[in-house]
Amino acid sequence: MTNSIAEFEHDSKAIFVIGSNTTACHPLIASRIIQAKENGAKLIVADPRNIQLARLADLSVNHRLGSDVALLNGMMHVIIQNQWHHPDYIADRCEDFDAFKAVIDMYTPDRVSDITGVAPKDIIRMAELYSQNAPAALLYAMGITQHTTGVDNVKSCCNLAMLCGNVGVKGGGINPLRGQNNVQGACDMGGLPNVFTGYQPVSDPGANKKFSDAWGVELSSTPGLTITDMIEAIDQKKIKAMYIIGENPKLSDPDWNHLNHALKKLEFLLVQDIFLSETAQSADVIFASAALGERDGTFTNTERRCMRARKAQDPVGNTLPDWQIISRLSSAMGYAMDYDSAETIFDEITGLTEKSYGGMTYERLGINGLQWPCPNPDHPGTPYLHKETFARGKGKFHAIEYKDPAELACGEYPFLLTTGRMFAHFHTGTMTRVSRHLDVEQKTGYVEIHPDDAMTIKIKSNDPVLLTSRRGQMEVSARITTDVMPGNLFLPIHFGENPTNILTSSNAFDPLAKIPEFKVGAVRIERLIQ
Amino acid sequence: MTVKRIAFVQELLKFMGLEGRLHLEWISSAEAQKYVDVVTKFTEKIRNMGPNPLRAINEMKKAG
Amino acid sequence: MDMVKAAKELLLQDKVDIFLGYRKLDGHQIPHGFTKAHVDDLDQLEISLNRYPLEKIACDLAQKDPALKIGILARDCSQRALNLLYTWDQLNPENIETLTVNCCPSPLSTHGDCSYLTPKPTGDYKKAHGVDYNDSPKDFLANHDSGERLSRWMYEFQKCIKCYGCRNVCPVCFCKECSLEHPNLVEPGVLPAEVPIFHLIRATHMAGRCIDCGLCEDACPAHIPLRMLYREVNDAVSDIFGYVPGDHIEKSPFSIIGKTVELTPAPMDV
């Protein structure tokens, strides 16, 4: 997030939520949005599904799956036509506006309406609400990113925010809501194939030397592989062993059949987790790790806030905190890691990540934590980014054309399937399905289908149906609801007995970010005769 | 116990704007005519009140 | 500080095995169980505006060890909660010692320490479409017709994200099995929590129970004016049965064995 969660409640005059089922997936951020709305802020919601937040919106639209670029371009077309944009901000702080405008000029409300299914008057109203109530915050989640056009979608969100001078402003900003409490932290720590901590490239000689010196080894300057590439590499036997920590790719990665086929080719699989996940069940060796509350450490959340997690009790049984397991494994393999505490490791991180974490210490983090960049011990942290100038200098407008998703509905696969989370469970359910109270809410998987479609294929609520995609088939029970549009289906991802990813594709991914298109796929749905 | 609970729930429903839709009557198994009268009268009353407003609210997916 | 001294005495003289209060951690006040082994921790005992259901923690402790003697830093609402919990046999008054703090103002003490003494601000949109936190139930009933009462409450209820925070924080919610989780009563697995039955069930279960501490409203992430709703529940119970939950140790009119109440069913108004 460029901005902070609290600003939605106190500073934003308009909040535009696109591709985020916020009340179900980020309830505490939803709480701020509700508060803002009740205090008079305008709320715009765009989502292919009828989400709960839409009930509170001043305007809500259901655009077609994967049509985000067109919808955003359409809003920007209206804004420029009505001169609701901020020419001074654009001239002072941005670049490449003309090439961008040339593309936007083509996206008239009528044309956009044809692509998105949203009425022209709603596109105009959305543009007006967003641009005429400043500062306006733009919030998105996986509904924007999990597409073959994920990067295009994100760039379009940035275009819109810059067009209205909403970046570098309190209460504005571009705010991706992260899918896990510590995704931001994992990325900050170099949990990506091409960077060290704080996004310092492995290929940058200076950064590489700094880390090589600090760790007393010569480090590779060649980027590693993304998850998407790793599966292919296993298939081609270029990767023979895998060490998976706190992740359950058997449920979370696309194309289940392909993945399982690949995983069988591994000569050795090591899994480290707090529970015996689907992935751990097929491991050669399992390291049981300590859970939250049994270990010290930090999380960095979606608003770049690094916070301490404190140990409340000793780990159960013979489990160990992750850092101790990694240290022991490393030492056993010949590179001694002899940290005496999580804090020692944090101090090493801050020493090597000067620009963003340099000013942080456990003592300074306290309970509220600090938001990076926090480069020195006196720095109060940064509630919002790009204040005077953009990190790269000028804010770059990208001219983006709408592209269809990888799969469209067709005769053989007439429905479009989208996947996501529901409120009672988290991700692959490893941590939530063991809770009795959450199990009461949702015991197993289901597919949401519109009442009209249910009538066409002659099914009643809870009837079993068969879903077929180009990758595979799965059986699941139907939930009939107007929460999905006619022609669309929704599957929650939490349930190992109905693994959504039997249906999804591992070939449809964003060319840059390599993120799979979990949000659109063509399927067929059939009634199962009882 | 029943009369206590009904008396309370009637108050609560009134507060929510759903008054008049809950009624309690003691009818013995010997009072066939009273049963017919009460059920007929209550059915009439509910019909005159029109459709359940909650149905409209639950089907309303978007505000404003 | 007298309170610290009194709490220390309770522990040192073995009048209680644990004392439930608050201590500060990095500027935040959190509930803490003080023990004789670490009696000096009581020097950090905090008394301020913040509130947590310490009585609920006491119930959990008592369930694990029924003989445990528990000291509690008690507000007026805690005292009402304790009376209620004694009434329903959830705590044994002989095992509870309280040290009372000044909170709700009265003719005898005008000063109080309670986060509720400053009224919660209600936003303009909420005032126009929802329910004002600070409205009295009687005024709400008098000022809005039936259709408007319905639409205002349904606006509030459809925001519910089904976190169960109202139940989980409630000092007098102690049922082993909760009706809110019964699939025949409330449809599971959907948002918002089924409107309005989820909230009507909970309101009904608050009848004869709610001690008006307001923790539910504090906890609600969807900003539903629950305290105001349960105040109406309390008004109704008080009007019909003359019963005020937690006022003293007395069975609720909804107990199976309790005071006999003379009531006749209301006539059908057509």
Side-chain angles (χ1 to χ4, degrees), chain C residues 64-259:
Chain C
K64 290 190 185 96
D65 178 5
L68 191 76
K69 295 199 291 290
I70 304 168
I72 299 181
L73 187 75
R75 299 172 168 281
D76 291 4
C77 49
S78 320
Q79 201 61 61
R80 296 196 296 274
L82 289 170
N83 281 343
L84 200 291
L85 294 166
Y86 300 151
T87 305
W88 288 89
D89 299 322
Q90 297 300 308
L91 284 175
N92 179 354
E94 288 176 8
N95 289 340
I96 304 292
E97 291 284 342
T98 57
L99 294 179
T100 46
V101 288
N102 188 17
C103 50
C104 300
S106 70
L108 292 175
S109 62
T110 46
H111 168 78
D113 289 316
C114 177
S115 56
Y116 255 115
L117 294 179
T118 2
K120 217 168 160 174
T122 307
D124 291 343
Y125 185 87
K126 194 183 185 70
K127 273 188 182 149
H129 300 277
V131 177
D132 193 324
Y133 294 115
N134 308 304
D135 219 354
S136 88
K138 293 240 177 332
D139 289 347
F140 177 79
L141 200 59
N143 296 334
H144 305 293
D145 67 22
S146 161
E148 201 177 343
R149 294 202 298 277
L150 183 71
S151 79
R152 284 174 181 269
W153 277 111
M154 297 313 118
Y155 162 80
E156 296 290 352
F157 291 161
Q158 67 168 354
K159 294 182 292 176
C160 178
I161 59 165
K162 215 176 188 186
C163 68
Y164 290 99
C166 48
R167 175 194 73 181
N168 295 348
V169 79
C170 179
V172 296
C173 263
F174 51 73
C175 300
K176 291 268 182 295
E177 282 182 29
C178 179
S179 298
L180 299 175
E181 292 182 354
H182 197 295
N184 293 355
L185 299 176
V186 183
E187 187 185 357
V190 294
L191 283 189
E194 196 178 352
V195 178
I197 198 68
F198 181 92
H199 287 278
L200 291 187
I201 289 175
R202 191 167 141 75
T204 306
H205 285 222
M206 283 292 100
R209 285 252 190 123
C210 176
I211 47 91
D212 190 33
C213 64
L215 286 170
C216 46
E217 193 173 287
D218 274 0
C220 182
H223 313 286
I224 304 171
L226 293 166
R227 190 184 204 192
M228 145 71 164
L229 174 61
Y230 304 143
R231 275 189 166 156
E232 160 60 17
V233 168
N234 277 347
D235 282 0
V237 170
S238 161
D239 289 351
I240 304 170
F241 307 103
Y243 179 80
V244 181
D247 207 24
H248 47 283
I249 306 178
E250 182 202 354
K251 291 273 186 212
S252 138
F254 297 104
S255 316
I256 300 291
I257 309 159
K259 210 163 68 176

Side-chain angles (χ1 to χ4, degrees), chain A residues 9 39 122 138 141 248 302 320 338 385 476 498 513:
Chain A
E9 181 179 338
N39 287 337
D122 286 344
L138 193 160
N248 187 11
T302 188
L320 288 173
D338 48 3
L385 303 175
V476 67
N498 318 102

Side-chain angles (χ1 to χ4, degrees), chain B residues 36-48:
Chain B
V36 171
D37 292 347
V38 168
V39 171
T40 309
K41 206 168 120 190
F42 193 60
T43 309
E44 276 300 301
K45 178 186 174 183
I46 294 294
R47 186 172 291 133
N48 290 336

Side-chain angles (χ1 to χ4, degrees), chain A residues 251-262:
Chain A
L251 272 197
S252 60
D253 284 11
D255 199 349
W256 193 84
N257 289 320
H258 178 67
L259 177 84
N260 277 292
H261 176 73

Side-chain angles (χ1 to χ4, degrees), chain A residues 415-483:
Chain A
F415 282 83
L416 282 185
L417 171 76
T418 190
T419 67
R421 295 176 179 165
M422 55 94 61
F423 78 98
H425 290 289
F426 179 70
H427 216 57
T428 66
T430 324
M431 292 182 285
T432 52
R433 294 192 74 195
V434 291
S435 153
R436 187 173 64 82
H437 294 288
L438 297 174
D439 185 59
V440 160
E441 286 301 331
Q442 195 60 50
K443 291 186 187 307
T444 186
Y446 58 90
V447 61
E448 288 187 357
I449 180 168
H450 190 273
D452 296 351
D453 293 329
M455 202 181 288
T456 312
I457 64 164
K458 299 191 178 63
I459 51 160
K460 298 187 301 295
S461 239
N462 300 319
D463 278 357
V465 292
L466 182 69
L467 297 176
T468 311
S469 78
R470 290 181 176 89
R471 269 69 56 191
Q473 284 193 322
M474 68 178 281
E475 212 182 297
V476 67
S477 69
R479 176 182 285 180
I480 300 173
T481 168
T482 52
D483 286 356

Side-chain angles (χ1 to χ4, degrees), chain C residues 13-30:
Chain C
Q13 296 170 7
D14 292 319
K15 285 184 181 160
V16 301
D17 303 309
I18 187 167
F19 183 81
L20 300 177
Y22 303 96
R23 70 184 286 184
K24 213 172 229 178
L25 181 65
D26 286 324
H28 286 253
Q29 211 180 38
I30 56 164

Side-chain angles (χ1 to χ4, degrees), chain A residues 175-220:
Chain A
N175 303 288
L177 311 181
R178 296 295 204 154
Q180 277 113 0
N181 67 329
N182 199 28
V183 173
Q184 184 70 54
C187 295
D188 293 352
M189 290 307 105
L192 295 166
N194 57 339
V195 291
F196 297 116
T197 63
Y199 310 94
Q200 304 171 69
V202 292
S203 55
D204 175 74
N208 199 293
K209 182 172 188 311
K210 183 174 79 177
F211 280 87
S212 295
D213 289 351
W215 292 339
V217 284
E218 195 173 319
L219 295 165
S220 166

